[in-house]
Amino acid sequence: MASLDRVKVLVLGDSGVGKSSLVHLLCQNQVLGNPSWTVGCSVDVRVHDYKEGTPEEKTYYIELWDVGGSVGSASSVKSTRAVFYNSVNGIILVHDLTNKKSSQNLYRWSMEALNKDSSPTGVIVSNGDYDREQFAENPVPLLLIGTKYDQIPENKRNDVLTRTAFLSEDFNAEEINLVIEKRYFTRDPSQVRICPDYGSLCGTET
């Protein structure tokens, strides 16, 4: 039997960007019908067989920690959230592609989680560019996920994708843009697929 290793992954981003829906989809293979606000932190689990069927097969017990709250919370709230940031193996940064502020706030979320939030106003330098040196030695892998791609007007999608490409470059992270709409999903989880045209998660329309 394959060995079982625990992997802890933080899911960070502003309230309302779709973190809880994303975690539920990844762990339960179904769309979350009526997501509620996350208070504190919610943890869900997915068991993943890495290189299944090969001699290198390994089973991972992946914990997805959906952290609630606002990046602009009081210091007391941030101190409480700090207990969630211990022994992290990876971070998923989630932002709403229709809300530029949620993208900008990912810098502050990542700084907070990596215990580098000593000077919050210094995350973005005066000319609006990100100081990449602050994460030059970051050992934690990052994944950038944008939600609500389908809600962007078609004539603005290229501009949004260009902006998010710079964002992923700043974080040295892989980038995925998602389409999660209840009307696009069947009851059969096998119908959920990756759309190759723009790297988004979608489904077969019912």
Side-chain angles (χ1 to χ4, degrees):
M1 182 177 178
S3 59
L4 189 67
D5 282 355
R6 172 181 175 269
V7 176
K8 178 180 178 180
V9 178
L10 295 176
V11 182
L12 304 177
D14 285 356
S15 296
V17 298
K19 300 189 302 296
S20 297
S21 296
L22 172 65
V23 169
H24 189 81
L25 180 62
L26 290 174
C27 296
Q28 308 300 329
N29 285 327
Q30 59 183 221
V31 175
L32 184 60
N34 296 297
S36 58
W37 298 108
T38 301
V39 178
C41 181
S42 175
V43 181
D44 211 337
V45 174
R46 179 185 179 94
V47 177
H48 175 68
D49 292 318
Y50 176 71
K51 292 189 175 181
E52 185 177 8
T54 71
E56 293 80 26
E57 178 177 347
K58 197 173 188 65
T59 302
Y60 289 95
Y61 183 84
I62 303 175
E63 297 177 352
L64 294 172
W65 290 54
D66 174 11
V67 179
S70 168
V71 75
S73 301
S75 57
S76 59
V77 176
K78 290 184 179 182
S79 297
T80 302
R81 283 202 300 252
V83 300
F84 306 138
Y85 301 151
N86 296 325
S87 304
V88 173
N89 301 111
I91 298 175
I92 298 176
L93 299 171
V94 185
H95 63 126
D96 178 350
L97 294 170
T98 68
N99 182 349
K100 188 175 181 180
K101 185 65 174 178
S102 72
S103 304
Q104 295 173 336
N105 282 343
L106 291 181
Y107 296 114
R108 297 174 66 92
W109 276 110
S110 55
M111 295 282 283
E112 179 183 313
L114 296 170
N115 298 317
K116 297 181 180 180
D117 198 25
S118 57
S119 55
T121 57
V123 178
I124 301 178
V125 295
S126 58
N127 62 359
D129 295 327
Y130 175 57
D131 184 1
R132 299 179 185 177
E133 293 184 1
Q134 297 189 63
F135 283 98
E137 299 179 359
N138 171 39
V140 180
L142 304 175
L143 173 63
L144 179 67
I145 293 184
T147 62
K148 307 179 186 179
Y149 179 91
D150 56 293
Q151 297 181 25
I152 305 172
E154 290 190 12
N155 63 339
K156 295 183 179 181
R157 288 181 178 179
N158 286 338
D159 291 340
V160 171
L161 293 181
T162 298
R163 171 167 53 84
T164 60
F166 281 114
L167 194 64
S168 63
E169 185 177 349
D170 282 343
F171 288 119
N172 191 27
E174 294 294 325
E175 177 189 6
I176 299 175
N177 296 316
L178 305 182
V179 176
I180 303 180
E181 283 191 293
K182 286 188 289 184
R183 67 185 180 91
Y184 279 119
F185 287 89
T186 66
R187 294 180 180 273
D188 183 1
S190 67
Q191 296 297 316
V192 178
R193 59 188 175 84
I194 296 294
C195 294
D197 53 342
Y198 50 82
S200 300
L201 185 69
C202 66
T204 302
E205 188 170 3
T206 57

